[in-house]
Amino acid sequence: PFLERRLSTPAQMSMLAALIGGAQGGMMGALASNPFDVLSVAVMRGEAKNALAAITARVKSEGLLGLWRGAPMNSLFNIVNKSVYFLAYAVYTAIYKRRMQSESVASAANILIGWLAQMSAVPFFAPFYTVFLRSLQPDVQGRSPMDITRQLVKEGGVARLYQGWSSWIGYSLRPA
Protein backbone atom coordinates (compact mmCIF):
# COMPACT_ATOMS: atom_id res chain seq x y z
CA PRO A 1 0.00 0.00 0.00
CA PHE A 2 2.79 2.48 0.82
CA LEU A 3 4.44 2.04 -2.57
CA GLU A 4 1.15 1.95 -4.43
CA ARG A 5 0.29 5.42 -3.10
CA ARG A 6 3.74 6.74 -4.11
CA LEU A 7 3.98 4.95 -7.44
CA SER A 8 0.72 5.80 -9.10
CA THR A 9 1.45 5.21 -12.77
CA PRO A 10 2.18 1.96 -14.62
CA ALA A 11 5.48 3.47 -15.81
CA GLN A 12 6.57 4.13 -12.21
CA MET A 13 5.61 0.60 -11.19
CA SER A 14 7.48 -0.74 -14.22
CA MET A 15 10.60 1.15 -13.16
CA LEU A 16 10.36 -0.23 -9.62
CA ALA A 17 9.91 -3.72 -11.04
CA ALA A 18 12.99 -3.18 -13.25
CA LEU A 19 15.04 -2.10 -10.24
CA ILE A 20 13.96 -5.03 -8.05
CA GLY A 21 14.06 -7.59 -10.86
CA GLY A 22 17.51 -6.42 -11.90
CA ALA A 23 18.79 -6.79 -8.35
CA GLN A 24 17.33 -10.29 -8.01
CA GLY A 25 18.62 -11.40 -11.39
CA GLY A 26 22.04 -9.90 -10.71
CA MET A 27 22.41 -11.76 -7.44
CA MET A 28 21.25 -15.11 -8.81
CA GLY A 29 23.36 -14.72 -11.94
CA ALA A 30 26.44 -13.90 -9.88
CA LEU A 31 26.03 -16.88 -7.59
CA ALA A 32 25.49 -19.22 -10.54
CA SER A 33 28.38 -17.88 -12.63
CA ASN A 34 30.96 -17.13 -9.90
CA PRO A 35 32.87 -20.40 -10.46
CA PHE A 36 33.34 -19.45 -14.13
CA ASP A 37 34.73 -16.05 -13.11
CA VAL A 38 37.11 -17.65 -10.63
CA LEU A 39 38.32 -20.19 -13.20
CA SER A 40 38.71 -17.70 -16.04
CA VAL A 41 40.74 -15.35 -13.83
CA ALA A 42 42.95 -18.28 -12.75
CA VAL A 43 43.60 -19.23 -16.39
CA MET A 44 44.22 -15.60 -17.43
CA ARG A 45 46.68 -15.15 -14.56
CA GLY A 46 48.59 -18.25 -15.67
CA GLU A 47 47.72 -20.23 -12.52
CA ALA A 48 46.44 -23.07 -14.74
CA LYS A 49 46.66 -24.03 -18.41
CA ASN A 50 42.93 -24.54 -18.86
CA ALA A 51 39.64 -24.52 -16.97
CA LEU A 52 39.83 -28.21 -16.04
CA ALA A 53 43.28 -27.73 -14.50
CA ALA A 54 42.06 -24.58 -12.74
CA ILE A 55 39.03 -26.30 -11.22
CA THR A 56 41.10 -29.26 -10.09
CA ALA A 57 43.72 -27.04 -8.44
CA ARG A 58 41.11 -24.77 -6.82
CA VAL A 59 39.09 -27.64 -5.35
CA LYS A 60 42.27 -29.33 -4.06
CA SER A 61 43.57 -26.17 -2.40
CA GLU A 62 40.34 -24.56 -1.15
CA GLY A 63 37.65 -27.19 -1.40
CA LEU A 64 34.45 -26.86 -3.39
CA LEU A 65 33.62 -23.51 -1.77
CA GLY A 66 36.83 -22.09 -3.29
CA LEU A 67 34.89 -21.82 -6.54
CA TRP A 68 32.77 -19.17 -4.83
CA ARG A 69 35.69 -17.11 -3.57
CA GLY A 70 34.69 -13.48 -3.98
CA ALA A 71 31.01 -14.36 -4.37
CA PRO A 72 29.76 -11.67 -1.96
CA MET A 73 31.54 -8.91 -3.91
CA ASN A 74 30.53 -10.46 -7.22
CA SER A 75 26.92 -10.55 -6.03
CA LEU A 76 27.07 -6.94 -4.85
CA PHE A 77 28.64 -5.88 -8.16
CA ASN A 78 25.91 -7.64 -10.13
CA ILE A 79 23.08 -6.42 -7.91
CA VAL A 80 24.20 -2.82 -8.41
CA ASN A 81 24.98 -3.32 -12.10
CA LYS A 82 21.75 -5.04 -13.06
CA SER A 83 19.42 -2.95 -10.92
CA VAL A 84 20.85 0.34 -12.24
CA TYR A 85 20.98 -1.05 -15.78
CA PHE A 86 17.35 -2.19 -15.85
CA LEU A 87 16.13 0.97 -14.13
CA ALA A 88 18.00 3.15 -16.64
CA TYR A 89 16.76 0.97 -19.49
CA ALA A 90 13.14 1.40 -18.32
CA VAL A 91 13.58 5.17 -17.95
CA TYR A 92 15.27 5.61 -21.35
CA THR A 93 12.67 3.40 -23.04
CA ALA A 94 9.84 5.43 -21.51
CA ILE A 95 11.49 8.67 -22.65
CA TYR A 96 11.96 7.29 -26.16
CA LYS A 97 8.35 6.12 -26.43
CA ARG A 98 7.03 9.43 -25.16
CA ARG A 99 9.22 11.50 -27.51
CA MET A 100 8.54 9.31 -30.52
CA GLN A 101 4.87 8.88 -29.59
CA SER A 102 5.25 5.17 -30.13
CA GLU A 103 4.27 2.00 -28.29
CA SER A 104 7.42 0.18 -29.40
CA VAL A 105 11.13 0.87 -29.76
CA ALA A 106 12.94 0.59 -33.09
CA SER A 107 15.81 -1.92 -33.22
CA ALA A 108 18.58 0.66 -33.62
CA ALA A 109 17.09 2.76 -30.82
CA ASN A 110 16.90 -0.33 -28.61
CA ILE A 111 20.63 -0.98 -29.11
CA LEU A 112 21.43 2.64 -28.25
CA ILE A 113 19.15 2.53 -25.18
CA GLY A 114 20.84 -0.68 -23.97
CA TRP A 115 24.29 0.86 -24.40
CA LEU A 116 23.30 4.07 -22.62
CA ALA A 117 21.71 2.12 -19.78
CA GLN A 118 24.89 0.09 -19.25
CA MET A 119 27.07 3.22 -19.43
CA SER A 120 24.79 4.82 -16.84
CA ALA A 121 25.49 1.92 -14.49
CA VAL A 122 29.30 2.07 -14.80
CA PRO A 123 29.90 4.79 -12.17
CA PHE A 124 27.89 2.78 -9.68
CA PHE A 125 29.27 -0.73 -10.21
CA ALA A 126 32.88 -0.23 -11.35
CA PRO A 127 34.31 0.03 -7.81
CA PHE A 128 32.57 -3.21 -6.77
CA TYR A 129 33.90 -4.99 -9.86
CA THR A 130 37.44 -3.75 -9.25
CA VAL A 131 37.33 -5.02 -5.66
CA PHE A 132 35.81 -8.32 -6.81
CA LEU A 133 38.57 -8.94 -9.38
CA ARG A 134 41.24 -8.04 -6.83
CA SER A 135 39.64 -10.44 -4.30
CA LEU A 136 40.29 -13.34 -6.69
CA GLN A 137 44.06 -12.84 -6.55
CA PRO A 138 45.88 -15.29 -4.27
CA ASP A 139 47.78 -12.64 -2.28
CA VAL A 140 44.55 -11.19 -0.83
CA GLN A 141 42.80 -14.46 -0.03
CA GLY A 142 40.89 -14.18 3.22
CA ARG A 143 40.97 -10.37 3.31
CA SER A 144 37.71 -8.49 3.65
CA PRO A 145 36.30 -6.35 0.83
CA MET A 146 36.88 -3.27 3.01
CA ASP A 147 40.57 -4.16 3.45
CA ILE A 148 40.91 -4.68 -0.29
CA THR A 149 39.15 -1.38 -0.99
CA ARG A 150 41.43 0.46 1.43
CA GLN A 151 44.50 -1.09 -0.23
CA LEU A 152 43.30 -0.08 -3.70
CA VAL A 153 42.56 3.49 -2.60
CA LYS A 154 45.96 3.65 -0.91
CA GLU A 155 47.58 2.53 -4.18
CA GLY A 156 45.93 5.14 -6.38
CA GLY A 157 43.19 7.09 -4.64
CA VAL A 158 39.53 6.71 -5.51
CA ALA A 159 40.49 6.75 -9.20
CA ARG A 160 42.08 3.31 -8.65
CA LEU A 161 38.58 1.90 -8.16
CA TYR A 162 37.74 3.07 -11.69
CA GLN A 163 40.94 1.87 -13.36
CA GLY A 164 40.12 0.50 -16.78
CA TRP A 165 36.90 2.51 -17.08
CA SER A 166 37.50 3.08 -20.79
CA SER A 167 37.02 -0.65 -21.43
CA TRP A 168 33.42 -0.24 -20.27
CA ILE A 169 32.67 1.88 -23.33
CA GLY A 170 32.99 -1.23 -25.48
CA TYR A 171 31.74 -3.62 -22.81
CA SER A 172 28.52 -1.65 -22.61
CA LEU A 173 27.62 -2.87 -26.10
CA ARG A 174 27.21 -6.35 -24.62
CA PRO A 175 23.72 -5.85 -23.14
CA ALA A 176 22.74 -3.75 -26.13
Side-chain angles (χ1 to χ4, degrees), residues 54-117:
I55 196 169
T56 303
R58 183 69 50 150
V59 171
K60 278 184 183 177
S61 67
E62 297 180 39
L64 198 54
L65 288 179
L67 296 174
W68 279 272
R69 185 192 322 162
M73 279 309 297
N74 192 12
S75 294
L76 189 53
F77 151 66
N78 277 288
I79 288 168
V80 172
N81 180 15
K82 298 306 179 197
S83 61
V84 174
Y85 170 79
F86 282 107
L87 175 62
Y89 185 85
V91 168
Y92 297 153
T93 299
I95 291 169
Y96 174 87
K97 288 178 177 180
R98 187 173 55 242
R99 283 191 160 272
M100 301 305 286
Q101 298 177 349
S102 175
E103 288 297 315
S104 62
V105 179
S107 295
N110 199 34
I111 291 171
L112 180 62
I113 290 169
W115 181 79
L116 287 171

Side-chain angles (χ1 to χ4, degrees), residues 11 23-24 34 36 47 72 76 78-79 81 98 114 120 138 143 158 175:
Q24 291 171 334
N34 199 82
F36 301 108
E47 297 170 17
L76 189 53
N78 277 288
I79 288 168
N81 180 15
R98 187 173 55 242
S120 297
R143 292 183 59 198
V158 174

